[in-house]
Amino acid sequence: MTGSFRVSVDTGGTFTDVIGVDASSGELFAVKTPSNREDPSRALLEGVAKVLEAAGKTPEEIELVIHGTTTATNAVLEHEFDGIGLLVTTGFRHLIEIARQSVPDGYGNSYFWVKPPRIVPLHLVREVPERLAYDGTVLEPLDLGSVRTAAAELVAAGVNRLGVCLLHAYANDKHEREIGQMLAEEFPDLFVSLSSVVLPEYREYERAMTTLIDVMVKPYCKTYLGAAQRDLDKVTGGRPFLIMQSNGGVVSAETAGDKPVTMLLSGPAGGVLGAIEAARSAGVRDLITLDVGGTSTDVALIEDLKIRLTSETVIENYPVKVPMIDIATVGTGGGSIAWQGPGESLKVGPKSAGAYPGPISYGRGGTAPTVTDAAAILGRLPDALVGGELSLAKDAARSAFTGFGTQFGLSAEEAAAGVLEVAVIGQVAGIRQVSTLKGRDPSAYALVAFGGAGPLLANEVAEALGMRRVLVPPTPGNLSAFGLQVSDVKRDYVRTLVRDLDAGNDATVVDEIEKVWLELEAAGRGELRAEGVPTEQVSLVRGADLRYVGEGYEVSVVIDDLSGDDAVRAIEAAFHEEHNRVYGFSYAGEQQVEVVALRVQALGELHRPTLATAPRSGGGTPVPTGTRSVYWRSTGWIDCPTYDRAALGDGDSVAGPAIVEEYGSTYVVPTGWDATVDHFGNILSERKDA
């Protein structure tokens, strides 16, 4: 039977969200299942089985499975560093120790900053006799015998993961390839990452750290993805299993396991894609995403419906220099724990109750009050979540907040309301990282709220930022999983090439740049062909990292389908414009420009399902399902109408205060806001005084 049912699975810290789309009818099915920390593949299989049951489908009808996961991120956040070693060129043993002179923002006096734990302790770093010049010329041949001895010593010391970062390997990968081949033959159980494969760019420290992050998460990801692939094959008969990357594209599970550093922001990337698709259908082009899960809040700023990539990401103070969607994360989610900080201050997060035991109101043994518990006792949440599968123990949550409030001299309601306000402040801080701090006024954007807890406080977050429009897509609790459905196969390629862009249009430089671009494009076509993408569905986007001569860092730009001198002049013009956008000035016609690295992004377009539209409303004034007493700090308890989102149609409008309930999420519409359903089932709310 030919498959026509597409399944996407997003594994988070609390829930694993699943979306199934019937390609023939456009009907969408959303389910949730608790995540399994010890074996994430188990929750994935449970989710697939659950969505098949909800849709009345058989495994044979599955067309493909797309997956986003936080497995790689969690390994970094939890400092799973045991068993990692590093091989470097002779003389560079202290590469990781020296690092960079700069300290993170907020530590004006570096005396107060403590370096993060080393991924590799110095005694597990070995030097390799070899040397390359900056242009890749071999100055000293590789001594493979010394490499063999060093690897044996590290394995005997307990190393099971080995990073290899040789000086200037980005310019010539010969020595690293020889090491990789020898290690594969003589130490087959050793996980190995080569810097010339992971990140063929200059800057030794960033290249080494990215390589170490890659090899650190490789055992978890290869084992997890391998198990998931085998189990899925038994169910689906070998249907494609694709993995979301941090750049917003998907690759095969095998490819992702070979280079897992590209998966670090896999889950949040799907959410951004889903938000863009929802905004497109609602006629919104400039937006800020608010993805609130159980543990954290992820935010991104989107202009003209285009994602912005960055290669300057820092995870837990460790630089990871691979293309990722520019996303900021703060530790405020639905499961974030409330606690008393210094000076009797009220704090929320970053510690989370997770899936087990979870918030107190889940009734699974949780004892620490959370944001979810606060929302539950204030009437913001119904008596049960996830379509009635999870009954809330509101009395237990209220009892906990009664005790928690006594620390501050507050009632249970006042303490819970305070927790929600602090949670709002945390989410506001995240949005300011991607907007105000980068010269963008958030009031000029629409806030797209999703995730299980995203719509809960979205309008209050918008009010704090002066934003006047909030968009809540259909099935917001599963939007990250839906975003996987609208992704493409995507691979990024980069090569360092430092050259001046002479005003005289130096033909040699132009030829060199064109030659590298063509080689990267050929690699992209070949690898996407190996992924099963037909040649006619492959598109290639050229890019470059450039800077003014004398600057320490680069600006990345992309260009249209140009070649030769036209392409070189186009990237130079684009650089001046982008430099002005980022920094507020440019030196066009005044300062020499140099290219530092050349990039190519290969895109393989996947079929996007056509989704069903919302039914037309009968009159625009929906009938409430009932009323519920809801506590607002400014007014106290108010009876608010509740609505079933599934019963709302195109053109229906709800005036706040009101509660809109659905499977997987609850949308709170405060006083002063009007919410209207559009043709595609989005809820767009606006301030009445807008």
PDB file of all heavy atoms in Angstrom, residues 4-27:
ATOM      1  N   SER A   4       0.255   7.451   2.674  1.00  0.00           N
ATOM      2  CA  SER A   4      -0.265   8.813   2.491  1.00  0.00           C
ATOM      3  C   SER A   4      -0.439   9.513   3.827  1.00  0.00           C
ATOM      4  O   SER A   4      -1.063  10.564   3.898  1.00  0.00           O
ATOM      5  CB  SER A   4      -1.610   8.766   1.754  1.00  0.00           C
ATOM      6  OG  SER A   4      -2.567   8.038   2.511  1.00  0.00           O
ATOM      7  N   PHE A   5       0.126   8.934   4.893  1.00  0.00           N
ATOM      8  CA  PHE A   5      -0.017   9.488   6.237  1.00  0.00           C
ATOM      9  C   PHE A   5       1.367   9.873   6.743  1.00  0.00           C
ATOM     10  O   PHE A   5       2.237   9.028   6.912  1.00  0.00           O
ATOM     11  CB  PHE A   5      -0.664   8.453   7.165  1.00  0.00           C
ATOM     12  CG  PHE A   5      -1.124   9.022   8.488  1.00  0.00           C
ATOM     13  CD1 PHE A   5      -2.120   9.988   8.545  1.00  0.00           C
ATOM     14  CD2 PHE A   5      -0.573   8.574   9.673  1.00  0.00           C
ATOM     15  CE1 PHE A   5      -2.546  10.497   9.760  1.00  0.00           C
ATOM     16  CE2 PHE A   5      -0.991   9.074  10.894  1.00  0.00           C
ATOM     17  CZ  PHE A   5      -1.986  10.041  10.941  1.00  0.00           C
ATOM     18  N   ARG A   6       1.564  11.180   6.955  1.00  0.00           N
ATOM     19  CA  ARG A   6       2.860  11.700   7.388  1.00  0.00           C
ATOM     20  C   ARG A   6       2.839  11.913   8.898  1.00  0.00           C
ATOM     21  O   ARG A   6       1.942  12.570   9.418  1.00  0.00           O
ATOM     22  CB  ARG A   6       3.177  13.009   6.678  1.00  0.00           C
ATOM     23  CG  ARG A   6       3.299  12.886   5.172  1.00  0.00           C
ATOM     24  CD  ARG A   6       3.253  14.243   4.500  1.00  0.00           C
ATOM     25  NE  ARG A   6       4.287  15.132   4.987  1.00  0.00           N
ATOM     26  CZ  ARG A   6       5.426  15.391   4.353  1.00  0.00           C
ATOM     27  NH1 ARG A   6       5.668  14.803   3.198  1.00  0.00           N
ATOM     28  NH2 ARG A   6       6.308  16.218   4.848  1.00  0.00           N
ATOM     29  N   VAL A   7       3.844  11.396   9.587  1.00  0.00           N
ATOM     30  CA  VAL A   7       3.915  11.486  11.040  1.00  0.00           C
ATOM     31  C   VAL A   7       5.154  12.278  11.440  1.00  0.00           C
ATOM     32  O   VAL A   7       6.250  12.045  10.916  1.00  0.00           O
ATOM     33  CB  VAL A   7       3.967  10.085  11.686  1.00  0.00           C
ATOM     34  CG1 VAL A   7       4.075  10.198  13.205  1.00  0.00           C
ATOM     35  CG2 VAL A   7       2.736   9.274  11.298  1.00  0.00           C
ATOM     36  N   SER A   8       4.978  13.229  12.355  1.00  0.00           N
ATOM     37  CA  SER A   8       6.111  13.982  12.890  1.00  0.00           C
ATOM     38  C   SER A   8       6.071  13.920  14.407  1.00  0.00           C
ATOM     39  O   SER A   8       5.004  14.015  15.015  1.00  0.00           O
ATOM     40  CB  SER A   8       6.087  15.438  12.403  1.00  0.00           C
ATOM     41  OG  SER A   8       4.837  16.039  12.646  1.00  0.00           O
ATOM     42  N   VAL A   9       7.254  13.751  15.009  1.00  0.00           N
ATOM     43  CA  VAL A   9       7.361  13.533  16.449  1.00  0.00           C
ATOM     44  C   VAL A   9       8.393  14.487  17.018  1.00  0.00           C
ATOM     45  O   VAL A   9       9.554  14.507  16.582  1.00  0.00           O
ATOM     46  CB  VAL A   9       7.779  12.077  16.759  1.00  0.00           C
ATOM     47  CG1 VAL A   9       7.785  11.840  18.262  1.00  0.00           C
ATOM     48  CG2 VAL A   9       6.869  11.083  16.055  1.00  0.00           C
ATOM     49  N   ASP A  10       7.980  15.280  18.010  1.00  0.00           N
ATOM     50  CA  ASP A  10       8.893  16.206  18.689  1.00  0.00           C
ATOM     51  C   ASP A  10       9.017  15.786  20.148  1.00  0.00           C
ATOM     52  O   ASP A  10       8.048  15.836  20.904  1.00  0.00           O
ATOM     53  CB  ASP A  10       8.373  17.643  18.597  1.00  0.00           C
ATOM     54  CG  ASP A  10       9.233  18.604  19.410  1.00  0.00           C
ATOM     55  OD1 ASP A  10      10.460  18.565  19.249  1.00  0.00           O
ATOM     56  OD2 ASP A  10       8.671  19.381  20.209  1.00  0.00           O
ATOM     57  N   THR A  11      10.215  15.369  20.546  1.00  0.00           N
ATOM     58  CA  THR A  11      10.447  14.897  21.907  1.00  0.00           C
ATOM     59  C   THR A  11      10.950  16.044  22.769  1.00  0.00           C
ATOM     60  O   THR A  11      12.026  16.597  22.511  1.00  0.00           O
ATOM     61  CB  THR A  11      11.475  13.754  21.921  1.00  0.00           C
ATOM     62  OG1 THR A  11      10.963  12.665  21.155  1.00  0.00           O
ATOM     63  CG2 THR A  11      11.735  13.285  23.341  1.00  0.00           C
ATOM     64  N   GLY A  12      10.181  16.405  23.775  1.00  0.00           N
ATOM     65  CA  GLY A  12      10.571  17.442  24.717  1.00  0.00           C
ATOM     66  C   GLY A  12      10.892  16.850  26.069  1.00  0.00           C
ATOM     67  O   GLY A  12      10.856  15.635  26.276  1.00  0.00           O
ATOM     68  N   GLY A  13      11.199  17.725  27.028  1.00  0.00           N
ATOM     69  CA  GLY A  13      11.562  17.250  28.349  1.00  0.00           C
ATOM     70  C   GLY A  13      10.400  16.668  29.124  1.00  0.00           C
ATOM     71  O   GLY A  13      10.576  15.783  29.960  1.00  0.00           O
ATOM     72  N   THR A  14       9.168  17.128  28.843  1.00  0.00           N
ATOM     73  CA  THR A  14       7.998  16.657  29.582  1.00  0.00           C
ATOM     74  C   THR A  14       7.122  15.753  28.725  1.00  0.00           C
ATOM     75  O   THR A  14       6.762  14.650  29.129  1.00  0.00           O
ATOM     76  CB  THR A  14       7.168  17.857  30.078  1.00  0.00           C
ATOM     77  OG1 THR A  14       8.005  18.708  30.871  1.00  0.00           O
ATOM     78  CG2 THR A  14       6.001  17.387  30.920  1.00  0.00           C
ATOM     79  N   PHE A  15       6.760  16.238  27.532  1.00  0.00           N
ATOM     80  CA  PHE A  15       5.896  15.463  26.639  1.00  0.00           C
ATOM     81  C   PHE A  15       6.577  15.224  25.298  1.00  0.00           C
ATOM     82  O   PHE A  15       7.401  16.025  24.846  1.00  0.00           O
ATOM     83  CB  PHE A  15       4.572  16.198  26.391  1.00  0.00           C
ATOM     84  CG  PHE A  15       3.610  16.142  27.546  1.00  0.00           C
ATOM     85  CD1 PHE A  15       3.424  17.250  28.360  1.00  0.00           C
ATOM     86  CD2 PHE A  15       2.896  14.986  27.826  1.00  0.00           C
ATOM     87  CE1 PHE A  15       2.548  17.209  29.430  1.00  0.00           C
ATOM     88  CE2 PHE A  15       2.010  14.935  28.886  1.00  0.00           C
ATOM     89  CZ  PHE A  15       1.831  16.050  29.697  1.00  0.00           C
ATOM     90  N   THR A  16       6.207  14.124  24.679  1.00  0.00           N
ATOM     91  CA  THR A  16       6.549  13.870  23.288  1.00  0.00           C
ATOM     92  C   THR A  16       5.300  14.171  22.467  1.00  0.00           C
ATOM     93  O   THR A  16       4.260  13.547  22.660  1.00  0.00           O
ATOM     94  CB  THR A  16       6.993  12.411  23.086  1.00  0.00           C
ATOM     95  OG1 THR A  16       8.248  12.213  23.750  1.00  0.00           O
ATOM     96  CG2 THR A  16       7.154  12.085  21.613  1.00  0.00           C
ATOM     97  N   ASP A  17       5.402  15.171  21.582  1.00  0.00           N
ATOM     98  CA  ASP A  17       4.264  15.641  20.797  1.00  0.00           C
ATOM     99  C   ASP A  17       4.285  15.003  19.407  1.00  0.00           C
ATOM    100  O   ASP A  17       5.333  14.918  18.768  1.00  0.00           O
ATOM    101  CB  ASP A  17       4.306  17.164  20.655  1.00  0.00           C
ATOM    102  CG  ASP A  17       4.342  17.865  21.996  1.00  0.00           C
ATOM    103  OD1 ASP A  17       3.765  17.333  22.955  1.00  0.00           O
ATOM    104  OD2 ASP A  17       4.958  18.946  22.082  1.00  0.00           O
ATOM    105  N   VAL A  18       3.117  14.593  18.957  1.00  0.00           N
ATOM    106  CA  VAL A  18       3.021  13.887  17.675  1.00  0.00           C
ATOM    107  C   VAL A  18       1.922  14.514  16.827  1.00  0.00           C
ATOM    108  O   VAL A  18       0.832  14.815  17.323  1.00  0.00           O
ATOM    109  CB  VAL A  18       2.717  12.386  17.882  1.00  0.00           C
ATOM    110  CG1 VAL A  18       2.801  11.639  16.557  1.00  0.00           C
ATOM    111  CG2 VAL A  18       3.668  11.773  18.900  1.00  0.00           C
ATOM    112  N   ILE A  19       2.223  14.711  15.556  1.00  0.00           N
ATOM    113  CA  ILE A  19       1.254  15.195  14.575  1.00  0.00           C
ATOM    114  C   ILE A  19       1.178  14.185  13.435  1.00  0.00           C
ATOM    115  O   ILE A  19       2.208  13.735  12.917  1.00  0.00           O
ATOM    116  CB  ILE A  19       1.657  16.572  14.007  1.00  0.00           C
ATOM    117  CG1 ILE A  19       1.456  17.677  15.038  1.00  0.00           C
ATOM    118  CG2 ILE A  19       0.857  16.888  12.739  1.00  0.00           C
ATOM    119  CD1 ILE A  19       0.018  18.092  15.255  1.00  0.00           C
ATOM    120  N   GLY A  20      -0.025  13.832  13.037  1.00  0.00           N
ATOM    121  CA  GLY A  20      -0.236  13.010  11.856  1.00  0.00           C
ATOM    122  C   GLY A  20      -1.092  13.779  10.868  1.00  0.00           C
ATOM    123  O   GLY A  20      -2.091  14.395  11.259  1.00  0.00           O
ATOM    124  N   VAL A  21      -0.697  13.790   9.615  1.00  0.00           N
ATOM    125  CA  VAL A  21      -1.442  14.511   8.582  1.00  0.00           C
ATOM    126  C   VAL A  21      -1.806  13.550   7.461  1.00  0.00           C
ATOM    127  O   VAL A  21      -0.943  12.858   6.909  1.00  0.00           O
ATOM    128  CB  VAL A  21      -0.625  15.689   8.011  1.00  0.00           C
ATOM    129  CG1 VAL A  21      -1.407  16.371   6.884  1.00  0.00           C
ATOM    130  CG2 VAL A  21      -0.299  16.698   9.097  1.00  0.00           C
ATOM    131  N   ASP A  22      -3.088  13.501   7.155  1.00  0.00           N
ATOM    132  CA  ASP A  22      -3.577  12.713   6.028  1.00  0.00           C
ATOM    133  C   ASP A  22      -3.349  13.541   4.763  1.00  0.00           C
ATOM    134  O   ASP A  22      -3.996  14.563   4.547  1.00  0.00           O
ATOM    135  CB  ASP A  22      -5.064  12.406   6.211  1.00  0.00           C
ATOM    136  CG  ASP A  22      -5.584  11.426   5.162  1.00  0.00           C
ATOM    137  OD1 ASP A  22      -5.094  11.478   4.022  1.00  0.00           O
ATOM    138  OD2 ASP A  22      -6.474  10.635   5.492  1.00  0.00           O
ATOM    139  N   ALA A  23      -2.395  13.109   3.937  1.00  0.00           N
ATOM    140  CA  ALA A  23      -2.023  13.884   2.753  1.00  0.00           C
ATOM    141  C   ALA A  23      -3.162  14.027   1.761  1.00  0.00           C
ATOM    142  O   ALA A  23      -3.207  14.987   0.986  1.00  0.00           O
ATOM    143  CB  ALA A  23      -0.811  13.246   2.069  1.00  0.00           C
ATOM    144  N   SER A  24      -4.100  13.093   1.762  1.00  0.00           N
ATOM    145  CA  SER A  24      -5.190  13.151   0.787  1.00  0.00           C
ATOM    146  C   SER A  24      -6.294  14.108   1.201  1.00  0.00           C
ATOM    147  O   SER A  24      -6.876  14.808   0.361  1.00  0.00           O
ATOM    148  CB  SER A  24      -5.772  11.749   0.574  1.00  0.00           C
ATOM    149  OG  SER A  24      -6.241  11.212   1.806  1.00  0.00           O
ATOM    150  N   SER A  25      -6.592  14.185   2.497  1.00  0.00           N
ATOM    151  CA  SER A  25      -7.688  15.038   2.963  1.00  0.00           C
ATOM    152  C   SER A  25      -7.216  16.316   3.652  1.00  0.00           C
ATOM    153  O   SER A  25      -7.982  17.264   3.805  1.00  0.00           O
ATOM    154  CB  SER A  25      -8.571  14.254   3.947  1.00  0.00           C
ATOM    155  OG  SER A  25      -7.859  13.968   5.145  1.00  0.00           O
ATOM    156  N   GLY A  26      -5.944  16.356   4.078  1.00  0.00           N
ATOM    157  CA  GLY A  26      -5.439  17.500   4.827  1.00  0.00           C
ATOM    158  C   GLY A  26      -5.818  17.471   6.290  1.00  0.00           C
ATOM    159  O   GLY A  26      -5.482  18.391   7.036  1.00  0.00           O
ATOM    160  N   GLU A  27      -6.507  16.423   6.736  1.00  0.00           N
ATOM    161  CA  GLU A  27      -6.927  16.342   8.133  1.00  0.00           C
ATOM    162  C   GLU A  27      -5.713  16.117   9.033  1.00  0.00           C
ATOM    163  O   GLU A  27      -4.815  15.337   8.722  1.00  0.00           O
ATOM    164  CB  GLU A  27      -7.938  15.206   8.317  1.00  0.00           C
ATOM    165  CG  GLU A  27      -8.617  15.213   9.677  1.00  0.00           C
ATOM    166  CD  GLU A  27      -9.723  14.180   9.776  1.00  0.00           C
ATOM    167  OE1 GLU A  27      -9.899  13.398   8.817  1.00  0.00           O
ATOM    168  OE2 GLU A  27     -10.404  14.151  10.822  1.00  0.00           O
TER     169      GLU A  27
END
